[in-house]
Amino acid sequence: MDVLQPVGRTLLRDRAYEALREAIVRGDLAPGAPLKDADLAERLGLSRAPVREALVRLGDEGLVESKPQSYTRVTRPVSRVVRDAASVVRVMHELAARTGVPLLGPEGIRAMREANERFAAAVRASDVEAALDADDELHQVLVVASGNHAAAATIARYTPLIRRVERRLFGDAGSCGSAELHARLIDACEAGDAVGAVRVTTEIWAALEQLADDAIEVAEVTGIPAPVDPVVSVEAARPAGSSDGAGPAGSSDGARPAGSPVPPARPVP
């Protein structure tokens, strides 16, 4: 079954970008896979123009690489690149914790605890997608509370680079220790201890950086990509909303320019 399904007519550039990014992050489009805009456009039900712009944007973000007149393909994870991205995302989460804790109310604490309960249950059940969703919800509470849009955009920009290799964390029941780190983070938030929340955030992300390093080193030595969840379905990341007036393939889509920041999405872990 084809994992790339047609997307709707609204915000075509963005939706092509989000569908392709999700396919790359999940491993449906594997490292080294060739990317032909005509083929992708047909599979997504789009014209080639928004797909080309999506590929340029993914190239800017390090998920796609191109050589003129030669190839366009999915990049292979590289230790240095993933480590750099993880370091940047860690610092942004530390900033969100430092500035968000003083602004976090009881509803935020409750939302974090509920998300952590779902996270722990999903990890025990080896439900990768549910674990990732719950983990995102937990950390997003602090990002939103901080009100720092630059930090949120930076997290969204660099998280996909580490997403491909960190997925293995959530398929291992032993990683439920992450739920204990989350609990410590939540306790610090509830106590209004911003310094403590930053310290636990650093610990969480240091563990992820090490995991990413280990996974990529194995892939680089063996030539085998780090494990990913194999059975997925790629859909447009956002439900259809306002119309851009675009028609079928070949139409103008009126979306944001390629390379512009995306809204906050899925910080990990």
Side-chain angles (χ1 to χ4, degrees):
M1 184 177 71
D2 197 345
V3 296
L4 288 172
Q5 303 296 324
V7 300
R9 291 171 51 183
T10 59
L11 301 173
L12 300 185
R13 293 179 208 164
D14 291 342
R15 299 185 69 169
Y17 160 79
E18 288 160 359
L20 292 171
R21 182 181 66 174
E22 188 73 4
I24 292 170
V25 169
R26 292 184 180 217
D28 295 328
L29 294 173
L35 301 171
K36 299 184 182 299
D37 54 10
D39 173 61
L40 294 173
E42 181 178 356
R43 294 164 69 185
L44 290 169
L46 298 173
S47 68
R48 294 170 68 174
V51 172
R52 285 172 179 163
E53 294 183 26
L55 292 174
V56 169
R57 185 169 169 186
L58 290 165
D60 291 341
E61 297 183 358
L63 294 172
V64 168
E65 59 184 356
S66 298
K67 181 177 180 181
Q69 310 301 319
S70 182
Y71 61 77
T72 298
R73 64 193 180 196
V74 178
T75 58
R76 298 183 184 278
V78 176
S79 293
R80 178 185 56 77
V81 174
V82 175
R83 189 185 304 113
D84 289 349
S87 296
V88 168
V89 173
R90 170 178 54 79
V91 171
M92 292 300 99
H93 278 294
E94 290 169 350
L95 176 61
R98 184 176 297 107
T99 58
V101 167
L103 303 173
L104 198 61
E107 290 186 5
I109 299 297
R110 183 166 56 252
M112 292 177 76
R113 291 201 185 281
E114 291 173 354
N116 197 32
E117 289 174 4
R118 293 194 301 275
F119 171 82
V123 170
R124 287 193 296 269
S126 295
D127 187 339
V128 175
E129 293 307 313
L132 289 170
D133 287 342
D135 188 79
D136 292 344
E137 291 175 25
L138 188 155
H139 290 283
Q140 188 69 3
V141 171
L142 278 174
V143 174
V144 171
S146 75
N148 191 320
H149 298 292
T154 302
I155 289 170
R157 165 71 171 77
Y158 289 102
T159 291
L161 283 170
I162 60 177
R163 214 67 209 268
R164 292 185 287 178
V165 295
E166 60 84 25
R167 292 177 67 87
R168 63 186 293 180
L169 173 68
F170 299 98
D172 178 6
S175 71
C176 204
S178 294
E180 297 176 4
L181 286 173
H182 288 161
R184 287 170 49 200
L185 172 63
I186 297 166
D187 288 345
C189 291
E190 188 170 35
D193 181 4
V195 173
V198 171
R199 186 181 304 116
V200 179
T201 298
T202 302
E203 189 174 345
I204 290 171
W205 280 91
L208 180 58
E209 288 177 41
Q210 184 59 56
L211 175 75
D213 258 359
D214 293 345
I216 295 175
E217 284 172 9
V218 169
E220 288 174 343
V221 170
T222 63
I224 301 173
V228 295
D229 186 32
V231 182
V232 291
S233 173
V234 176
E235 300 174 354
R238 236 180 247 116
S242 58
S243 174
D244 54 27
S251 301
S252 170
D253 57 81
R256 82 168 68 87
S260 60
V262 296
R266 295 188 49 122
V268 195

